[in-house]
Amino acid sequence: MTTHNAPPVVYPLGRSRFQAVVLGGLWLTGLLSILFWLNISRPMEWSAFLSAATLVFSGIAAFQGWKNCPIGQLVWDGQLWRWESLGYQTGAAEQTLFVIADFQNLLLLRLENHAHASLWLWAEQKAFPERWLDLRRAVYSPRRATDASHASEVKYAQIADVAHKQP
């Protein structure tokens, strides 16, 4: 049985509208909860001001986090994943890609380098519909063994065979 590897693909990634809606929905839920709580407990206490301040700061933090999401392109060359952006150039550094959540037209991905630094990315079909299926194939395809790693595996297998044949 022959296996086919996913084609090389370059996919643009940026701020996710889905992420913005989820963050906004969570913030709005917090706001409604605080307003409901304040409506039930009539006297204004210090905890009400603390809750309101926490809500404001969490909204600012969520907005800044969304605004500072990485913008660039995810590159699969058939063997290695790379992240390319204006602020972060990896060159040929190998990175590992993990699918955290798959919603068919939206992927939450985690890209990790050898130092275990992670980059969380949202990939949306709307960003580049023509290449969406290529990206999905690449994300789920098994990684092709490079020539050097394949040669070391073959050499290890030969050594193991010799070790088993010896009395």
Side-chain angles (χ1 to χ4, degrees), residues 83-133:
W83 172 252
E84 296 177 351
S85 69
L86 293 176
Y88 182 75
Q89 296 293 328
T90 63
E94 181 179 349
Q95 297 186 345
T96 308
L97 187 77
F98 300 97
V99 177
I100 304 303
D102 183 351
F103 301 105
Q104 297 302 311
N105 60 355
L106 178 75
L107 291 170
L108 176 58
L109 307 170
R110 183 172 56 100
L111 195 62
E112 187 175 294
N113 64 12
H114 289 294
H116 301 291
S118 294
L119 186 62
W120 291 79
L121 305 164
W122 285 96
E124 294 183 336
Q125 182 178 7
K126 295 175 186 175
F128 197 11
E130 299 83 20
R131 299 300 305 258
W132 178 248
L133 292 178

Side-chain angles (χ1 to χ4, degrees), residues 28 37 39 42 46 61 71 77 92 102 121 139 147 149 151 164:
L28 187 61
W37 172 57
N39 189 30
R42 295 286 178 193
W46 64 270
I71 298 173
D77 64 5
D102 183 351
L121 305 164
V139 164
D147 295 335
S149 66
H164 287 303

Side-chain angles (χ1 to χ4, degrees), residues 13-88:
L13 300 176
R15 292 185 192 108
S16 168
R17 284 184 233 144
F18 177 77
Q19 181 186 14
V21 168
V22 168
L23 290 174
L26 289 173
W27 187 84
L28 187 61
T29 302
L31 174 67
L32 293 175
S33 299
I34 289 175
L35 291 175
F36 180 72
W37 172 57
L38 291 175
N39 189 30
I40 289 176
S41 64
R42 295 286 178 193
M44 294 294 260
E45 299 176 1
W46 64 270
S47 57
F49 294 111
L50 181 63
S51 299
T54 302
L55 182 70
V56 168
F57 287 124
S58 66
I60 291 169
F63 177 74
Q64 287 297 322
W66 176 78
K67 187 176 153 193
N68 294 327
C69 282
I71 298 173
Q73 55 188 16
L74 187 61
V75 179
W76 167 251
D77 64 5
Q79 293 182 0
L80 301 173
W81 286 102
R82 287 191 326 269
W83 172 252
E84 296 177 351
S85 69
L86 293 176
Y88 182 75

Side-chain angles (χ1 to χ4, degrees), residues 152-166:
S152 67
E153 289 172 8
V154 170
K155 187 174 182 177
Y156 177 75
Q158 290 171 346
I159 292 170
D161 285 342
V162 171
H164 287 303
K165 291 180 183 177
Q166 291 180 351

